[in-house]
Amino acid sequence: SLKFNAIEALAIPKSGYVLRGDSIQVTMFTAAYDDSQDPLVYMGFPDSTRFKGGVCIVPVGDTKPPMLGSLTAEWNETPSTYQLVKTKYGKGVYGKKTSTAGDKKIKGVIGIKTTEGTKYYMFKNNYMVAEPSATIAASKMNVLYVGVPNPMQISAPGVALQDISPAGAGISFRPGKTQGEYIATASNANPKGTEITVNKKGGGKLGGSIFRIKRLPDPVASILNQKEGLVSKGKLKAASFLKAEMENFDFDVKVNVVSFK
């Protein structure tokens, strides 16, 4: 019942974003179409209960496509709406500006008019939207300090944040308060450097960088804000404690004086 006058060879990748080292899967086939009849193409969630064997026949005179939700100018990617796609020369072309990052799915139906009615066929595919990114790093400043939490931002283009796993010898990682943030804690100093690698869960290495592992600098002691030199007897009598601070150190580290001479 379907008549076509043109055939096209298609190669459709399983994913719209592939990393080096991952496998790419492509489905290749020939597609027949009628370039004199524009099909009905809808983006949205099909009503699967109306399909049998992947086909839904809407009788002649019935204009409601087998979709969930209501018809709108633009599909909002939820089951509450669907969108009619423009067609030309027997094909539908869908375009939309991306607004959020992550793995996106497209689905809908293609309908072809026959003597029985309009026959609809379901389709679906997916693609990855990544945030625009640039990596800028002061390579000589790649330093972690022993015994304190070292906040780090870690991401990889094309990989969901939940699928990233950092690792390094003698370094433990835990998630931070914001997406993509990790807190690294080093156990031993290594001035020559330790490689921190970023791995994909269930996959291979995505990248890595060398970080030097250093001990904290010495804190500076003071009595009533005097750090050195002779201290008067009167100032010593007035001072009830000796203070110690980490000067010119970017981490919020507080130290306690446990003894002094």
Side-chain angles (χ1 to χ4, degrees):
S1 63
L2 302 178
K3 301 184 186 298
F4 305 106
N5 64 4
I7 294 178
E8 183 176 352
L10 297 177
I12 301 177
K14 184 177 180 181
S15 174
Y17 199 114
V18 181
L19 298 173
R20 182 170 58 84
D22 282 354
S23 298
I24 183 171
Q25 296 182 26
V26 182
T27 301
M28 292 156 281
F29 56 93
T30 56
Y33 63 96
D34 183 358
D35 60 11
S36 65
Q37 179 193 172
D38 289 334
L40 292 168
V41 183
Y42 293 95
M43 294 291 298
F45 283 73
D47 183 358
S48 58
T49 61
R50 298 177 62 183
F51 286 79
K52 292 183 180 180
V55 182
C56 172
I57 300 178
V58 175
V60 176
D62 190 346
T63 58
K64 177 69 169 71
M67 304 297 292
L68 300 175
S70 56
L71 180 64
T72 57
E74 185 172 295
W75 176 43
N76 66 3
E77 300 183 9
T78 72
S80 63
T81 67
Y82 65 91
Q83 172 186 348
L84 177 63
V85 177
K86 291 182 179 180
T87 55
K88 189 176 183 180
Y89 303 125
K91 303 174 187 177
V93 179
Y94 175 75
K96 182 179 181 180
K97 187 175 181 179
T98 58
S99 57
T100 58
D103 188 29
K104 305 295 182 180
K105 302 185 185 306
I106 57 175
K107 55 179 62 180
V109 299
I110 298 177
I112 300 176
K113 294 179 180 179
T114 71
T115 55
E116 305 173 60
T118 305
K119 283 189 176 182
Y120 286 96
Y121 300 84
M122 289 189 289
F123 66 85
K124 61 180 179 179
N125 209 327
N126 68 295
Y127 62 95
M128 174 67 75
V129 178
E131 292 282 3
S133 64
T135 301
I136 302 173
S139 57
K140 295 294 185 181
M141 299 300 291
N142 284 357
V143 176
L144 299 180
Y145 290 96
V146 176
V148 295
N150 298 267
M152 308 179 75
Q153 287 288 336
I154 301 176
S155 62
V159 180
L161 292 175
Q162 64 268 21
D163 293 334
I164 288 177
S165 176
I171 305 172
S172 62
F173 294 87
R174 61 180 174 83
K177 294 181 179 179
T178 60
Q179 275 197 329
E181 183 184 48
Y182 288 86
I183 305 300
T185 305
S187 55
N188 296 297
N190 184 356
K192 293 183 177 180
T194 297
E195 184 182 24
I196 294 179
T197 61
V198 179
N199 307 302
K200 183 179 179 181
K201 292 179 181 178
K205 177 180 174 180
L206 298 171
S209 187
I210 301 295
F211 280 75
R212 289 173 293 149
I213 314 298
K214 299 175 67 175
R215 297 191 180 279
L216 290 172
D218 291 335
V220 177
S222 65
I223 295 177
L224 296 180
N225 295 322
Q226 184 174 340
K227 301 172 185 176
E228 57 186 350
L230 295 175
V231 182
S232 68
K233 184 178 180 180
K235 184 176 282 190
L236 283 175
K237 282 185 175 182
S240 59
F241 62 92
L242 184 72
K243 185 170 66 173
E245 292 178 305
M246 304 293 290
E247 282 197 336
N248 300 317
F249 191 62
D250 292 332
F251 285 24
D252 184 18
V253 177
K254 291 182 172 59
V255 292
N256 297 318
V257 178
V258 294
S259 66
F260 65 91
K261 294 181 180 180

